[in-house]
Amino acid sequence: MAYNDDAVRAKLSSLNETSDSISTVAQWIMFHRRHANRTCTVWLEKLREAQGIKRLTLIYLANEVVQQSKFRRKEDFVVAFSPIIAEATATVYRAATTDVQEKIKRTTEVWSARKIFDKTIQDTIEARIVEMDRLRSEKKGGLLGKSLFSGGSDASAPSELQPLIPLQIALSKANAAAEPATTTATQDFDKLTDSSKPAPSPPVYAARLSALFKSLSSAESAVAERIKTRQDLVDGLEKLLATNRTALDKEKAQLSTIQERRETIERKKTEVEDAIMRGGAAAAAAATGAFSPLTETANGNNNNNNNNNTAGEPERPKVEELTPPPTESLTPIQSPKFHHSEQLSPIPIHNFTSLDHQHQHLGTSLDPRTSPPTVPYHTQQPSHDPRHAPAAKKRKLEDEFEGFGAGEDAMAGLDDDVAELLRAESGGV
């Protein structure tokens, strides 16, 4: 079948939702890839005329064509569909049921994952779908129409970018309308002005010129509209850019102020730490005084005077060392040595007051008249004969406890065996 607009419409009319039908029509269209722009124009017209499931089938046909073209690296149809695919997808999505909308979303997700279209075109497609979901949600007061591209948020974009979305959508529409018009006008002009072909008769030539004039006029209007919408988008971007530039200058000034304050506080902190390390009370008082950034320069000029005053400060007090003296200085490890020249006085009798009280409790007293005379310590000559040791102890006990239990048997009340053992140990007394 020869290629013309009627042949394309016939192929699109015979299309159904089966995969075989879609594949067959797609192969025929790709065979005539030289007419890709014209085929896409007729496809868009047919999509606008179609109703119901037929629109989804046309989307599937476009999907088959662009993916096969991308795979074969013959991207004539990818380029031809790029200006109109966003408008076509929005047209089908707007009047579709929920099931059909989910299928369209999955198709656009495949385009995004496989990078079929440029990022700008893909963003435009998703923005149109998000915008329609948002409008539907606001109208119904629910989230039934939430888009998969919204990332779980009701807002499609930050509030600062919201004014740019309608401008971008308008530009996409202008591109979709201008691209086919300019392509058609260019092709018609090239055909009519081709010098290699014979000139037609004057009536036919006049008719062709009239048709070319209309085509050029339509292309001119479409391009002018696209320029207008693009200028609006540029103005919006420049406004956003100016706002961000102003905020950026303000933030830079704020950062400079914070850095200056941080450096000032760092210097002050160093001064305080140095004063603490020096331990000088005057320097510490000066460093911890009332701080003002305006007086910092004056304080810096007075450093020389402060250094001169440092010489007049009082001396630091001597602190007793914390290291204890050696044990030998407190407790001699050798026995005391006495010289014959030393005169030691006897222990005063009044020091035995507490002992007197104890002896009274035991039935004795320390009366100096009945007690043995006090012998000075240095005149006592200790006996070194071990044979006289028990007798000395016995005499001492008798002297100190004389009269204690006098007239009584000390062994009274004890068993005979125990008393006899005690007498044997005491020497038979």
Side-chain angles (χ1 to χ4, degrees):
M1 179 183 296
Y3 180 88
N4 52 50
D5 292 353
D6 295 336
V8 176
R9 292 189 181 92
K11 287 289 184 181
L12 297 178
S13 298
S14 64
L15 184 67
N16 56 57
E17 61 272 13
T18 62
S19 59
D20 293 339
S21 177
I22 295 174
S23 179
T24 302
V25 176
Q27 292 295 331
W28 185 85
I29 290 176
M30 287 187 292
F31 178 78
H32 299 282
R33 65 175 182 274
R34 293 178 299 174
H35 308 283
N37 292 328
R38 188 58 188 169
T39 301
C40 292
T41 302
V42 176
W43 173 87
L44 182 60
E45 295 174 356
K46 192 68 177 179
L47 183 139
R48 290 171 176 171
E49 297 173 358
Q51 298 294 331
I53 198 65
K54 184 70 173 182
R55 287 184 168 183
L56 180 62
T57 305
L58 291 172
I59 292 292
Y60 283 164
L61 175 64
N63 175 62
E64 180 70 16
V65 171
V66 294
Q67 288 206 51
Q68 290 293 334
S69 299
K70 192 77 172 180
F71 177 75
R72 298 177 183 180
R73 297 182 180 180
K74 297 179 180 180
E75 301 184 3
D76 304 60
F77 281 99
V78 175
V79 175
F81 271 109
S82 293
I84 64 173
I85 192 63
E87 176 65 22
T89 304
T91 301
V92 178
Y93 190 87
R94 186 181 299 108
T97 61
T98 303
D99 295 339
V100 174
Q101 288 179 348
E102 293 298 325
K103 294 177 180 179
I104 294 174
K105 289 177 181 178
R106 285 196 292 270
T107 303
T108 56
E109 288 174 354
V110 171
W111 296 343
S112 177
R114 298 182 180 180
K115 298 180 180 180
I116 302 299
F117 298 103
D118 292 340
K119 188 177 184 302
T120 304
I121 302 300
Q122 185 67 36
D123 292 343
T124 304
I125 296 171
E126 294 177 1
R128 298 290 296 273
I129 293 177
V130 169
E131 181 67 17
M132 285 185 287
D133 286 344
R134 186 181 65 81
L135 295 175
R136 184 180 293 106
S137 299
E138 292 178 355
K139 183 177 180 180
K140 294 183 179 180
L143 301 178
L144 295 178
K146 182 184 290 187
S147 173
L148 295 175
F149 308 110
S150 60
S153 176
D154 294 339
S156 58
S159 57
E160 294 81 2
L161 300 179
Q162 289 292 340
L164 301 178
I165 294 178
L167 299 178
Q168 181 62 50
I169 293 174
L171 179 60
S172 300
K173 292 180 179 179
N175 283 331
E179 193 66 25
T182 54
T183 302
T184 302
T186 301
Q187 291 176 352
D188 293 344
F189 179 81
D190 292 339
K191 291 179 181 179
L192 190 59
T193 58
D194 188 2
S195 58
S196 61
K197 296 181 180 180
S201 59
V204 174
Y205 190 60
R208 291 181 179 179
L209 289 174
S210 178
L212 179 58
F213 178 79
K214 292 180 180 179
S215 178
L216 291 173
S217 299
S218 177
E220 181 184 8
S221 301
V223 172
E225 181 65 21
R226 181 167 61 180
I227 292 174
K228 180 179 178 300
T229 55
R230 192 177 297 277
Q231 185 63 47
D232 293 340
L233 179 60
V234 170
D235 294 341
L237 292 172
E238 289 179 349
K239 182 178 179 181
L240 179 63
L241 182 61
T243 302
N244 283 274
R245 287 187 184 279
T246 303
L248 180 61
D249 294 339
K250 182 178 179 181
E251 290 168 358
K252 286 182 178 180
Q254 185 179 17
L255 177 61
S256 178
T257 302
I258 293 174
Q259 289 176 344
E260 292 178 358
R261 292 177 178 177
R262 182 185 62 80
E263 293 174 357
T264 302
I265 295 301
E266 184 178 5
R267 291 194 299 270
K268 180 60 63 177
K269 180 177 72 71
T270 304
E271 294 176 3
V272 173
E273 291 175 351
D274 292 343
I276 293 174
M277 295 300 294
R278 290 194 304 267
T288 56
F291 169 69
S292 176
L294 298 178
T295 61
E296 183 179 359
T297 304
N299 292 336
N301 295 331
N302 293 332
N303 286 338
N304 296 330
N305 297 331
N306 293 337
N307 294 333
N308 296 332
N309 294 334
T310 305
E313 294 180 358
E315 296 182 358
R316 296 177 58 185
K318 296 182 178 180
V319 181
E320 183 179 358
E321 296 182 359
L322 299 179
T323 305
T327 308
E328 292 78 2
S329 64
L330 300 177
T331 306
I333 59 175
Q334 298 178 354
S335 300
K337 297 180 181 180
F338 300 95
H339 301 279
H340 295 286
S341 61
E342 294 180 354
Q343 297 296 329
L344 297 178
S345 61
I347 300 175
I349 298 176
H350 61 80
N351 290 339
F352 291 91
T353 304
S354 60
L355 296 176
D356 188 15
H357 176 71
Q358 296 178 1
H359 284 278
Q360 288 179 2
H361 179 70
L362 297 174
T364 62
S365 66
L366 293 178
D367 190 352
R369 293 172 298 177
T370 60
S371 301
T374 304
V375 181
Y377 176 79
H378 69 281
T379 61
Q380 296 180 2
Q381 298 295 332
S383 176
H384 299 285
D385 191 355
R387 294 174 298 175
H388 300 288
K393 291 182 180 179
K394 180 178 180 180
R395 286 195 302 272
K396 185 177 180 181
L397 290 174
E398 289 175 354
D399 294 340
E400 292 181 358
F401 298 100
E402 182 180 2
F404 177 74
E408 297 181 0
D409 187 3
M411 303 300 177
L414 299 177
D415 293 340
D416 295 339
D417 297 338
V418 176
E420 184 179 358
L421 178 62
L422 294 176
R423 288 191 186 97
E425 292 178 355
S426 60
V429 181

